[in-house]
Amino acid sequence: MKRRTILKSILAAGALGGFRLPLAQAADHRGKLFVFVQADGGWDPTSFCDPKTNVAGEPAINQWASRDEVRQAGNIPYAPFANNAAFFEKYHRRMLVINGVDAQTNSHTVGVVHNWSGRNSEGYPTATALLAAHYAPRLSIPYLSFGGYSETAGIARFTRLNNPELLRNIATPEVASWNPAVRFFDDADWAAIQAAQAGTADRLMLAPDLMPADIGHRQIYQSAFDGTAGLREYAATIPPKDQLEQPQRYSGANREYYSDLRRQAQLAVLAFKTGVAVSADLWLGGFDTHAYHDQDQGWLLGNLTGAVDFLWDYAEIHGVADRLVVVMGSDFGRTNRYNAKQGKDHWPIGSYVVMEMNQPWTDRVIGETDALHFAQRINPSSLRRDDVDGTIIYPKHVHRALRRYLGIEHTQAALKFPFHDTEDFAFFG
């Protein structure tokens, strides 16, 4: 297709409202930034943040327990497994562990939905989406997703960012991605395209008697023109492909593992720094270790904690670490015994880890499981075990507390998706 034909097509699309500039906006948001790290497949809390040794007369819970004992960093016990020691010793002062969280399922599908939305059936948005909808409603990439569960329930838009090269194509469509010196349009043609787009936006802004949904769509369209500078800046900060964090691979007992979690963290931090995003879901799969559990779960947990360590260090380099809130979790846990293949199967009891710098609620563990990793009832006020007046902790309790702590409990979007008859746990004081 000839260059003039391309130009005419773009101008025509702009006049019809079908063409959009990159939907982004350099935000004025100076508040907190949010990262939810999804360990997909079911991690093993008993070899991580809810360590369990073996019980006489019962099958072995953990093989590490036959040669080592539970360790503790500050007030947080941890298992001497994988690279846990380095992680907990470095970060216990900015860490809250919530143990004994009952996902009420052994199904991956339900467990993922429950743990990341607070509800055990589909329809509720992730906390990441609620945060984006409240703190950056006019951004088009406020919510970055690198995989996993990213339900928005229509309250926000998420951007799946797996290929930074494609982002450069979107941010600077007038130049060739392989060589910015190669321009598809000269300055005059590019100015004409932008003028046509601006004219379309102006006409839309003056259109009368629009329905509420159409008004919202109009605002989104207008944000396309407000935010191009922010997206361009973000694209410009992303290092060349050979300078990005490289994926890590591992030949495990069950499969070949692949992790680009460090790259995900890198891209999220740069988006935060340039003001084009406020929340992100990072994702690492493979935790469903039904065979040779220790070998593969050890690498996965080490990769997970190593990537979160990188996230914090990279955020420090780029000046956003003091604004960062990190939530780690999984579908559920693993069984309190090994199967015939030295694997562990699905177990409904899991944990969350919430991290933030310089907070009074950190260096603590809330929630309790017994020696065989059964969840115990906890009093929502005292946060201590209470077999009479306490309740089992469910994901909804964690999500309700997060909504309150992060300032979105009473937002219009959150009120559409309430947690009725849900006890109020004072996880954050």
Side-chain angles (χ1 to χ4, degrees):
M1 184 181 291
K2 294 183 178 179
R3 173 176 162 277
R4 184 173 300 277
T5 304
I6 296 174
L7 177 59
K8 287 181 178 179
S9 299
I10 292 175
L11 286 169
L16 293 172
F19 178 79
R20 289 185 178 180
L21 282 174
L23 290 176
Q25 172 182 330
D28 293 328
H29 176 68
R30 292 294 179 266
K32 294 180 180 181
L33 303 163
F34 315 99
V35 175
F36 286 68
V37 186
Q38 302 183 22
D40 192 77
W43 64 3
D44 185 2
T46 72
S47 288
F48 185 47
C49 59
D50 192 6
K52 299 298 175 188
T53 54
N54 299 327
V55 177
E58 298 286 346
I61 299 176
N62 285 303
Q63 293 174 353
W64 59 259
S66 64
R67 58 183 181 274
D68 210 333
E69 59 186 13
V70 172
R71 301 181 191 176
Q72 186 159 319
N75 296 313
I76 300 179
Y78 66 90
F81 186 76
N83 295 328
N84 291 345
F87 185 69
F88 284 91
E89 292 293 341
K90 183 174 180 179
Y91 290 109
H92 68 89
R93 293 182 183 86
R94 63 182 77 171
M95 183 184 298
L96 169 68
V97 175
I98 304 174
N99 286 329
V101 182
D102 188 354
Q104 300 178 286
T105 184
N106 285 336
S107 162
H108 289 296
T109 300
V110 178
V112 167
V113 171
H114 200 180
N115 276 282
W116 298 116
S117 74
R119 188 169 182 259
N120 61 5
S121 59
E122 293 184 351
Y124 270 37
T126 62
T128 335
L130 287 168
L131 290 161
H134 178 61
Y135 288 111
R138 285 181 57 81
L139 292 181
S140 62
I141 59 168
Y143 174 10
L144 296 178
S145 172
F146 295 90
Y149 191 70
S150 53
E151 175 61 53
T152 67
I155 64 170
R157 296 173 303 280
F158 77 87
T159 299
R160 184 62 55 84
L161 185 57
N162 294 326
N163 188 341
E165 294 301 317
L166 295 179
L167 178 70
R168 294 188 179 95
N169 291 346
I170 296 170
T172 55
E174 78 278 19
V175 301
S177 60
W178 63 88
N179 184 355
V182 177
R183 293 181 61 93
F184 294 127
F185 310 104
D186 60 28
D187 290 339
D189 287 343
W190 187 239
I193 292 171
Q194 293 177 307
Q197 294 162 348
T200 300
D202 289 342
R203 289 192 297 275
L204 287 173
M205 294 304 292
L206 296 173
D209 302 325
L210 293 180
M211 297 294 289
D214 292 328
I215 292 174
H217 295 157
R218 183 172 64 181
Q219 292 172 342
I220 293 170
Y221 189 89
Q222 182 61 39
S223 75
F225 305 99
D226 297 337
T228 55
L231 192 61
R232 285 170 178 265
E233 182 181 357
Y234 177 40
T237 64
I238 297 175
K241 186 175 182 178
D242 61 348
Q243 295 178 27
L244 283 167
E245 288 295 311
Q246 297 303 303
Q248 296 170 294
R249 291 176 169 82
Y250 168 70
S251 297
N254 292 293
R255 51 178 269 195
E256 293 289 322
Y257 290 93
Y258 170 95
S259 171
D260 63 350
L261 198 54
R262 290 168 65 98
R263 178 179 292 185
Q264 296 174 30
Q266 184 179 24
L267 293 171
V269 167
L270 293 176
F272 295 157
K273 178 183 180 180
T274 52
V276 299
V278 298
S279 64
D281 287 333
L282 311 188
W283 181 88
L284 177 63
F287 284 86
D288 198 22
T289 47
H290 288 281
Y292 307 104
H293 168 84
D294 286 12
Q295 180 176 334
D296 288 4
Q297 191 92 189
W299 184 85
L300 288 160
L301 284 172
N303 189 272
L304 179 72
T305 57
V308 174
D309 178 35
F310 172 82
L311 168 68
W312 281 107
D313 286 347
Y314 201 68
E316 187 75 41
I317 292 170
H318 290 281
V320 297
D322 60 341
R323 301 166 58 194
L324 201 60
V325 179
V326 178
V327 180
M328 304 168 63
S330 188
D331 317 9
F332 36 62
R334 312 304 301 181
T335 48
N336 56 7
R337 64 184 65 194
Y338 294 86
N339 60 29
K341 294 183 178 180
Q342 288 302 299
K344 291 187 180 183
D345 301 316
H346 299 176
W347 187 253
I349 310 305
S351 300
Y352 288 94
V353 176
V354 185
M355 303 177 72
E356 190 176 359
M357 295 175 64
N358 305 317
Q359 297 300 323
W361 45 264
T362 55
D363 198 17
R364 292 194 304 160
V365 176
I366 297 174
E368 186 177 334
T369 57
D370 67 10
L372 294 176
H373 201 224
F374 286 89
Q376 305 300 296
R377 293 179 176 272
I378 304 298
N379 187 293
S381 298
S382 69
L383 301 179
R384 298 182 182 276
R385 179 172 172 176
D386 185 340
D387 295 336
V388 176
D389 296 319
T391 179
I392 298 296
I393 299 174
Y394 300 111
K396 65 181 181 180
H397 294 117
V398 178
H399 279 262
R400 181 178 180 185
L402 280 171
R403 286 184 181 187
R404 174 170 295 179
Y405 176 66
L406 299 177
I408 58 173
E409 182 181 29
H410 300 296
T411 62
Q412 183 178 3
L415 291 174
K416 292 180 180 179
F417 305 96
F419 296 120
H420 294 302
D421 302 320
T422 300
E423 296 83 357
D424 190 1
F425 275 81
F427 293 127
F428 304 100

